[in-house]
Amino acid sequence: MFPNDEATMYLKLHHKGILPLLQGNVTFTCNNTIKCTNIPKLYDNVMAKRSPYKLPLTYQYKSSKSYPVNIVANKRGVTRIREINLQIFDPFHIGTVSHYNTWGIGQEILVYPEPKPLANIQTFSKMRAGEQIYPHSLFEDVSRIRGAREYAANDPFSRIHWNLSAKNGQLMTKEYDKTVYHKWTIILNVLKDRQMSFDLSEEMEDYISYVAFICQYAYKQNIPFEIYANVVTNSNDSIFHLEPGTGGKHLSIALEMLARINEGNYIKHINHFFHSLDRRIDEDAIVLYFGDYGSTIANYLASWSRGGMSIFNVENNEEYGYLQPFKLRSDALA
């Protein structure tokens, strides 16, 4: 789901007793990532960022019912129905039977970030041998034969297509696909660029939305991309890394990772994060950087740029952002 999308879940309950249940209710909570639209909300728990809902129940004996729970996505995040409390009353309200489930339903509800457009998005590439076909490239992939043409006097002898020449009765020359290097390395930094600070950036949500947009664009253009983020999402205490890839499944994994970033994640400090990237990123990578841009990060990006990387960083405003070639700003070194 994306923000403002609507969906319906079903809460299925079984009554195995021999008497009808005429009065009862079930309460549950979910966080403010979503909102239930057809079930009354009891109150807003602002501190816990969760809201309880109450659903009245009636059952015939030995029966089952599925209750629809209509939800609308409010914002990026992950939630599930939790703290389910089932209460059954006798007709005279003399006694009550309760069943409480703290963990709730195991199925998660993912709300992906709303993609925020980048004004000057383009197909960033490097003029060197790679996997992406580009007719104006200076480099040919000799493992990918595009076709053949008649032999010319200045063609190298090694390019003769002998099988096709024998079939046509004249010499034919192999033609290879021209390719460029076309993999994007996306870097997401969720912290402010301040010395020894672990404060989340005030523009973190915008950066996440830009990354969602660039991932969707890469998917549509069949551009391989990888993502690094200074968020720990596993038990190995390592920074998040989505391996290079393409396709719908790769995009889904990227969007899920972005949905799972929250204030409760363990975050790696900027120095640790970029020091780790120093050892892991290709020397001639195409880097798209999303995050705050101060003196610490400026020094890292400048060093990478001098080493041969092509680096682009995002400039943010209220409606959209734009990627621009990295240039060392004087205010970033202040």
Side-chain angles (χ1 to χ4, degrees):
M1 299 179 68
F2 288 92
N4 300 317
D5 284 353
E6 298 179 357
T8 301
M9 299 179 61
Y10 290 91
L11 190 62
K12 190 171 185 178
L13 301 174
H14 302 274
H15 173 42
K16 299 180 180 180
I18 60 174
L19 296 176
L21 301 178
L22 303 180
Q23 299 182 63
N25 63 68
V26 60
T27 59
F28 60 87
T29 67
C30 54
N31 68 27
N32 54 12
T33 298
I34 62 170
K35 178 175 65 177
C36 299
T37 57
N38 65 328
I39 300 175
K41 183 192 297 186
L42 295 179
Y43 56 87
D44 285 314
N45 191 333
V46 179
M47 294 296 294
K49 298 182 180 180
R50 303 186 65 84
S51 298
Y53 294 85
K54 185 176 183 179
L55 176 67
L57 304 176
T58 58
Y59 270 87
Q60 298 297 324
Y61 65 93
K62 292 186 178 181
S63 62
S64 299
K65 271 189 179 182
S66 292
Y67 293 89
V69 180
N70 299 333
I71 60 175
V72 59
N74 281 335
K75 63 177 185 177
R76 179 191 66 82
V78 182
T79 190
R80 62 180 178 177
I81 293 177
R82 302 185 67 171
E83 299 175 306
I84 299 175
N85 186 21
L86 176 64
Q87 288 187 312
I88 303 299
F89 306 99
D90 68 75
F92 303 102
H93 279 257
I94 297 175
T96 303
V97 177
S98 297
H99 178 72
Y100 186 71
N101 183 339
T102 305
W103 295 105
I105 298 175
Q107 182 180 3
E108 291 182 321
I109 303 170
L110 289 170
V111 180
Y112 298 139
E114 182 71 36
K116 188 173 181 180
L118 292 162
N120 67 332
I121 188 67
Q122 57 180 289
T123 304
F124 305 108
S125 60
K126 270 199 168 184
M127 196 60 70
R128 75 165 178 83
E131 295 294 327
Q132 197 76 14
I133 296 175
Y134 183 64
H136 304 295
S137 175
L138 302 176
F139 301 92
E140 293 180 324
D141 186 345
V142 295
S143 67
R144 300 162 68 168
I145 300 177
R146 177 168 55 88
R149 56 172 173 78
E150 292 184 6
Y151 179 78
N154 60 342
D155 287 339
F157 192 72
S158 60
R159 296 181 69 122
I160 295 177
H161 197 310
W162 293 108
N163 291 337
L164 196 58
S165 298
K167 183 178 179 179
N168 291 349
Q170 61 176 337
L171 290 177
M172 302 293 291
T173 298
K174 298 175 185 176
E175 289 190 314
Y176 302 108
D177 281 330
K178 295 182 177 181
T179 62
V180 292
Y181 180 82
H182 210 45
K183 182 191 77 176
W184 291 352
T185 297
I186 299 169
I187 297 177
L188 172 63
N189 167 37
V190 300
L191 293 179
K192 293 180 178 179
D193 188 1
R194 292 180 182 172
Q195 191 70 21
M196 299 308 295
S197 172
F198 282 90
D199 295 333
L200 294 177
S201 168
E202 296 172 356
E203 299 178 273
M204 181 184 75
E205 291 299 328
D206 285 335
Y207 297 140
I208 292 174
S209 292
Y210 289 138
V211 172
F213 181 86
I214 204 75
C215 289
Q216 287 185 334
Y217 181 89
Y219 161 70
K220 293 174 183 177
Q221 301 297 322
N222 198 34
I223 299 171
F225 67 90
E226 62 180 340
I227 302 178
Y228 289 96
N230 53 340
V231 178
V232 176
T233 58
N234 54 43
S235 58
N236 296 328
D237 194 34
S238 59
I239 62 175
F240 175 84
H241 180 216
L242 176 63
E243 297 286 345
T246 58
K249 183 177 180 180
H250 191 66
L251 175 64
S252 296
I253 295 173
L255 293 177
E256 179 178 342
M257 182 279 290
L258 296 174
R260 291 186 180 278
I261 296 175
N262 61 66
E263 296 176 355
N265 290 131
Y266 179 57
I267 310 295
K268 290 291 187 179
H269 188 263
I270 290 173
N271 287 323
H272 184 283
F273 180 42
F274 277 83
H275 182 68
S276 176
L277 294 178
D278 268 336
R279 305 189 304 269
R280 302 174 69 171
I281 299 180
D282 298 337
E283 292 182 355
D284 53 358
I286 301 169
V287 174
L288 311 181
Y289 172 72
F290 297 86
D292 282 7
Y293 176 18
S295 59
T296 302
I297 291 171
N299 288 328
Y300 277 106
L301 297 183
S303 175
W304 292 353
S305 180
R306 290 191 297 268
M309 295 186 194
S310 297
I311 300 175
F312 300 83
N313 61 284
V314 68
E315 289 292 333
N316 185 29
N317 62 35
E318 293 182 1
E319 297 181 0
Y320 59 87
Y322 56 95
L323 280 170
Q324 61 181 9
F326 169 74
K327 292 182 179 178
L328 194 59
R329 298 195 316 243
S330 57
D331 61 310
L333 298 177

